[in-house]
Amino acid sequence: MSLSHKQISIRINPSISFRFLISDNYTISFDTYTSVYKFDELERIVKRNFNYWKSISEDDSNTFFILWKDLNDKINSVRDYFSNAETLEINEVNSHLCSTLTSSREEREPGKTVYIISLESPIDEDKEFCKIKDFVSFYVSQYKENLVLAVSTYIDICNNPYKVGTHLPNSTPYSYFPALYYMWQIFSNIADDFSDFESNKITPLSNRLHEIECDANKQYEDITILAEKKHNEIQKLFDDKVHELNEFQNAIETWNDDKEKKINDLEETYKNKLKLEAPEQLWRDRAEEHKKSATYWSVGLILTSVALIIASSRFIIVLHDYSLGNLKEAPFISRSFILVSVISFFIYVVRVLIKIVLSNHHLATEYRQKAALTRFYQSLTYAGTDIDKDERLIIMNALFSRVDTGLVKVDGSNDNDALLALLSKNIK
């Protein structure tokens, strides 16, 4: 978006000013040093003078028109640069003015630069410019050649009245016409008629008022555009903040839902821990007991096996010696029968002991698995895993099902089935 005239003025006016450098040959009452202008004022002055000299003549012989046209083009170029610039950095502005408008400048105060525009032409900021205008109107009505020389001669006579006698005998029109016009103004007692007053006083004043009105309308338009732009920026900022607040509120709600879910999972975990803490501890204790029992029975198995081997060997020897004398009285009992009976008894005892050891190992493993499954189930509930009724029933069945010792065969139905049926009714 291009910058408005008001924005440009606010940024460059505090640091940059302009003044004209015009020789005395083209001014009657104009102080070139004290007459300092801001860029907006410079733009209006250049446009007024350009339009005036354009109304007089657009020929190449009208040097004043050529000078003001060139300066007006430069001012328009600078205005375009200001309007299209994204940022008006003072260093960049100074560099552009030096390359486009004029390189002559001075610093009267720190940080304030005055650019000097050299110009060989009258300017309407001259307090006596109305005299120059009257003479130009008179001269172009009588003679159209050498306008620049005629104007400079008239201004020289106005500044130095004693030179009027020097120019009167001159045969060139651009020399004696200014002298005659000046003498006519001095010796004539005829007051300016109303048309001259209107053209010299009313019309310039009306033009000035029109320029002020146009400038005021332009500034009002710029202020309106600026206000609308700021309103849109504020509205956009407000909408962004509302969007951020909505996102923040959604994040808070999401966080709240997540924390509530975690709290519910913790409550569920705590409830399950209360429900399964005693069974889990019981299973761990029973696993430890059966582990110790398996160890004891293993040691007993080894000792018993050694004792049986020793006892059996001696018993067989004693029985063999005894049977040598008695078998004659009982011929139906053979030596092999006695030996097989002793070995069978030994094997039976060892087998029973092995079953007891394996049963204890089996029970210890089963109870450890139940304790681990209980802990795993609690971990699932803590992690928030959704476990439905059927899955919980399967887990409960695995936890509370009867453990087979492996010593005695039992029927598949037992009292635990009634307990599982009762638990299934209370599972939500």
Side-chain angles (χ1 to χ4, degrees):
M1 183 179 290
S2 60
L3 299 177
S4 65
H5 286 214
K6 195 65 177 178
Q7 290 175 308
I8 296 172
S9 300
I10 291 174
R11 298 190 183 185
I12 69 172
N13 283 351
S15 304
I16 297 175
S17 301
F18 304 86
R19 74 178 181 90
F20 291 95
L21 181 60
I22 302 175
S23 67
D24 294 339
N25 294 333
Y26 297 100
T27 59
I28 300 175
S29 178
F30 179 69
D31 190 348
T32 60
Y33 186 79
T34 59
S35 300
V36 180
Y37 309 97
K38 300 300 181 183
F39 183 76
D40 293 340
E41 298 171 333
L42 174 68
E43 189 177 30
R44 289 194 294 269
I45 292 171
V46 172
K47 189 174 293 295
R48 285 201 312 266
N49 284 271
F50 166 70
N51 291 331
Y52 170 71
W53 292 110
K54 181 180 178 181
S55 66
I56 299 301
S57 173
E58 298 184 30
D59 296 335
D60 294 339
S61 60
N62 187 357
T63 307
F64 299 146
F65 167 71
I66 300 300
L67 291 175
W68 286 106
K69 181 178 182 301
D70 181 65
L71 183 57
N72 184 67
D73 293 340
K74 291 180 179 179
I75 294 296
N76 291 335
S77 175
V78 174
R79 171 61 73 181
D80 292 339
Y81 168 77
F82 287 161
S83 299
N84 296 323
E86 294 182 0
T87 58
L88 287 178
E89 297 292 339
I90 296 301
N91 292 334
E92 296 180 0
V93 171
N94 287 326
S95 176
H96 185 77
L97 290 175
C98 287
S99 62
T100 304
L101 189 58
T102 177
S103 60
S104 179
R105 59 182 179 177
E106 60 187 8
E107 290 190 7
R108 301 185 182 181
E109 298 179 15
K112 294 185 178 181
T113 304
V114 179
Y115 284 88
I116 303 172
I117 301 175
S118 299
L119 197 65
E120 296 295 321
S121 170
I123 185 171
D124 65 356
E125 289 295 304
D126 193 331
K127 296 179 181 178
E128 301 294 336
F129 185 70
C130 59
K131 293 182 179 181
I132 300 175
K133 289 180 63 177
D134 291 340
F135 171 74
V136 170
S137 300
F138 166 76
Y139 184 80
V140 296
S141 66
Q142 302 296 327
Y143 191 75
K144 297 185 180 298
E145 302 295 331
N146 299 318
L147 175 63
V148 174
L149 294 175
V151 171
S152 62
T153 301
Y154 175 73
I155 293 175
D156 184 49
I157 293 173
C158 291
N159 292 330
N160 305 285
Y162 61 88
K163 291 184 178 182
V164 67
T166 304
H167 293 283
L168 279 175
N170 200 313
S171 60
T172 54
Y174 65 82
S175 181
Y176 66 78
F177 268 126
L180 287 176
Y181 182 78
Y182 183 78
M183 293 296 294
W184 176 76
Q185 284 185 319
I186 294 298
F187 295 104
S188 177
N189 293 323
I190 303 174
D192 294 336
D193 57 10
F194 180 76
S195 62
D196 293 335
F197 176 78
E198 182 179 6
S199 62
N200 294 329
K201 304 296 181 182
I202 301 299
T203 302
L205 183 60
S206 177
N207 292 336
R208 285 290 184 92
L209 291 175
H210 180 69
E211 290 178 1
I212 294 173
E213 181 183 3
C214 293
D215 185 63
N217 292 334
K218 182 63 178 176
Q219 290 187 0
Y220 174 76
E221 182 180 355
D222 291 342
I223 292 174
T224 303
I225 294 174
L226 180 62
E228 183 177 359
K229 177 183 176 183
K230 294 301 180 182
H231 172 74
N232 293 335
E233 291 178 355
I234 293 173
Q235 185 64 38
K236 184 177 182 302
L237 182 62
F238 177 77
D239 294 339
D240 292 341
K241 293 301 180 183
V242 170
H243 181 67
E244 291 179 3
L245 289 176
N246 290 334
E247 290 184 348
F248 179 73
Q249 183 177 3
N250 293 334
I252 291 294
E253 292 177 354
T254 303
W255 178 84
N256 185 50
D257 294 340
D258 183 63
K259 294 304 178 183
E260 286 184 355
K261 185 175 182 300
K262 287 185 177 180
I263 291 174
N264 293 333
D265 293 339
L266 287 174
E267 290 180 353
E268 184 68 19
T269 303
Y270 180 71
K271 291 179 181 179
N272 291 328
K273 183 174 178 60
L274 291 178
K275 294 176 182 178
L276 301 175
E277 184 176 12
E280 180 185 1
Q281 186 62 39
L282 175 62
W283 291 325
R284 291 187 185 277
D285 294 341
R286 294 296 298 273
E288 190 66 24
E289 290 176 3
H290 285 290
K291 181 179 179 181
K292 292 179 180 179
S293 298
T295 302
Y296 296 152
W297 280 107
S298 297
V299 174
L301 173 62
I302 294 173
L303 296 176
T304 302
S305 298
V306 173
L308 286 176
I309 291 173
I310 295 172
S312 297
S313 61
R314 292 188 178 184
F315 178 74
I316 291 173
I317 294 172
V318 172
L319 184 62
H320 178 267
D321 294 338
Y322 176 77
S323 62
L324 292 177
N326 296 329
L327 287 176
K328 295 178 180 180
E329 298 178 1
F332 57 87
I333 300 176
S334 64
R335 296 177 182 177
S336 59
F337 174 77
I338 297 173
L339 181 61
V340 170
S341 299
V342 172
I343 293 173
S344 298
F345 176 75
F346 169 72
I347 293 173
Y348 175 76
V349 172
V350 172
R351 183 181 179 186
V352 170
L353 292 176
I354 290 173
K355 281 188 175 183
I356 294 174
V357 171
L358 294 177
S359 176
N360 280 280
H361 279 294
H362 172 70
L363 290 173
T365 303
E366 285 289 329
Y367 286 125
R368 281 198 299 269
Q369 290 179 352
K370 288 181 179 291
L373 182 60
T374 303
R375 180 63 61 181
F376 177 69
Y377 174 63
Q378 294 175 357
S379 299
L380 290 179
T381 56
Y382 176 76
T385 304
D386 188 15
I387 302 175
D388 58 18
K389 179 179 178 180
D390 295 334
E391 292 172 344
R392 293 190 183 188
L393 184 59
I394 293 173
I395 294 173
M396 292 298 175
N397 187 19
L399 291 177
F400 294 100
S401 61
R402 185 172 181 177
V403 180
D404 186 8
T405 62
L407 298 177
V408 180
K409 292 184 179 181
V410 295
D411 190 8
S413 60
N414 49 55
D415 296 337
N416 287 341
D417 294 338
L419 177 60
L420 290 173
L422 180 62
L423 288 175
S424 63
K425 294 180 180 180
N426 295 325
I427 294 176
K428 295 181 180 180

